[in-house]
Amino acid sequence: MRQPPDLLAWALGNDTYSKDGADFTTTEILQPPQLTFLKQSNEPKKMPVYKSFMSLLGTGVHAALEGSAPDSAIVERRFYKTYNIDGVDYKLGGKPDYIDDKLLDDYKVVMVSGAPKDGLPKHDHYWQGQFNSFLAIHEGVEIDTACVEYIFRDWNYGMSMRQANYPKRPNLPVPFLVLPLEQIEAKIIERLTLHVRASLGHNVPCTDEERWKKPNLWALQKPAGKRARKLCTSEAEAITNKKPGEEIQFRPGTTIRCNDWCEFSHVCPQHNTLHLT
């Protein structure tokens, strides 16, 4: 029996993203500078094609929401400002998803497990909203509030009815006030400078936070046991809590971005020299 062509693989391999003439984007300068450094190596990206599936879902949601926006809204428009870094001009661009009635909204398609736990947007999402607001204001658009709109791709209506802590709707808007413009611009210049210098060969190793590193753990369990009785966050804690007959097993924290999501980990000097897991 004949099989249909893999249209999904075609869609995943068809990358139409454009910076629209910007040297750097607000999304880009919030990523680890080491990624910008590694991109200059001209080494091919290395990522299983189907790992891009989540991005494809996000693209579809963005397209649907863009088509539903009111006529008064500014949708998917890129804003710019040029900065002189170390004597050279660089154009920074930012493309918010939606602006209307002095509110800027960016959509983030995530798993329910990725919902903010403290009622605040994630760090990079927060600053992306601030950066995009600044660039829009610079071009004359009035904005006083930014928002990150979390859209849950795995939301389940039945679970929303049964579980008290489960999101009651498939989207969660998290608004926040726009900071003073001079404070935002200082952060922009700080991040842009790091990435400009990285593009010129100055490498800055990723932090544990940028690597999405899980903490090291020390497990207390019986030698033949299948599960740990207790997981400790330090060796000293494990020694203090160890019971007779138990042993301490060190479990190194994994670096999620390096192992599962970075397209350049195979050529990353930090990842390969330190043998991060």
Side-chain angles (χ1 to χ4, degrees):
M1 182 181 297
R2 294 175 59 220
Q3 295 294 318
D6 194 341
L7 297 178
L8 180 59
W10 286 353
L12 294 174
N14 183 25
D15 184 4
T16 59
Y17 176 77
S18 171
K19 295 183 184 181
D20 302 318
D23 296 304
F24 294 91
T25 68
T26 54
T27 302
E28 191 175 16
I29 65 172
L30 285 165
Q31 294 177 344
Q34 188 161 217
L35 276 178
T36 294
F37 171 80
L38 294 172
K39 289 175 184 177
Q40 310 312 308
S41 68
N42 294 320
E43 291 287 342
K45 296 179 181 179
K46 191 173 182 180
M47 179 76 74
V49 64
Y50 290 105
K51 280 200 172 181
S52 302
F53 179 62
M54 299 307 180
S55 296
L56 182 65
L57 293 181
T59 300
V61 169
H62 276 72
L65 293 174
E66 179 181 352
S68 303
D71 292 339
S72 60
I74 299 172
V75 179
E76 295 288 344
R77 171 182 160 188
R78 193 173 295 280
F79 299 91
Y80 303 92
K81 186 173 183 185
T82 298
Y83 288 94
N84 188 283
I85 306 296
D86 297 334
V88 179
D89 286 344
Y90 296 91
K91 183 184 289 186
L92 176 68
K95 185 191 284 186
D97 294 319
Y98 174 97
I99 302 175
D100 195 30
D101 194 24
K102 299 184 182 181
L103 183 141
L104 178 147
D105 201 359
D106 274 323
Y107 315 132
K108 302 296 179 185
V109 181
V110 301
M111 303 283 283
V112 168
S113 60
K117 301 298 189 293
D118 53 5
L120 299 174
K122 295 183 179 179
H123 178 269
D124 286 358
H125 298 164
Y126 171 82
W127 279 109
Q128 184 182 19
Q130 296 286 359
F131 289 1
N132 285 339
S133 295
F134 176 88
L135 293 179
I137 292 169
H138 170 69
E139 293 197 20
V141 179
E142 290 189 71
I143 298 172
D144 57 26
T145 303
C147 180
V148 178
E149 186 99 14
Y150 290 100
I151 299 170
F152 307 122
R153 58 176 174 255
D154 60 339
W155 186 79
N156 182 286
Y157 175 76
M159 293 181 69
S160 74
M161 299 296 290
R162 295 190 300 270
Q163 297 184 11
N165 295 326
Y166 195 87
K168 300 308 174 189
R169 49 190 285 183
N171 65 310
L172 174 65
V174 185
F176 48 95
L177 294 176
V178 175
L179 293 170
L181 299 185
E182 61 273 13
Q183 184 176 344
I184 303 174
E185 188 163 44
K187 184 75 170 180
I188 286 175
I189 294 171
E190 172 194 333
R191 296 300 306 177
L192 181 58
T193 300
L194 287 173
H195 281 266
V196 166
R197 292 175 179 173
S199 73
L200 298 174
H202 179 68
N203 190 23
V204 178
C206 292
T207 65
D208 285 351
E209 183 180 15
E210 289 171 333
R211 296 195 306 254
W212 304 344
K213 188 179 188 300
K214 290 188 175 181
N216 296 331
L217 296 173
W218 286 259
L220 298 175
Q221 65 183 74
K222 299 282 187 180
K226 294 183 178 180
R227 307 181 76 176
R229 176 183 65 82
K230 181 178 177 62
L231 295 176
C232 303
T233 57
S234 70
E235 185 176 18
E237 181 188 0
I239 293 171
T240 300
N241 288 274
K242 183 175 177 291
K243 292 184 177 180
E246 287 184 333
E247 62 182 16
I248 299 174
Q249 294 184 355
F250 175 64
R251 299 181 181 180
T254 58
T255 51
I256 306 301
R257 179 180 235 147
C258 304
N259 292 350
D260 298 328
W261 294 103
C262 180
E263 298 172 322
F264 296 96
S265 62
H266 59 295
V267 293
C268 175
Q270 181 183 12
H271 180 68
N272 292 291
T273 299
L274 298 179
H275 303 289
L276 300 175
T277 59

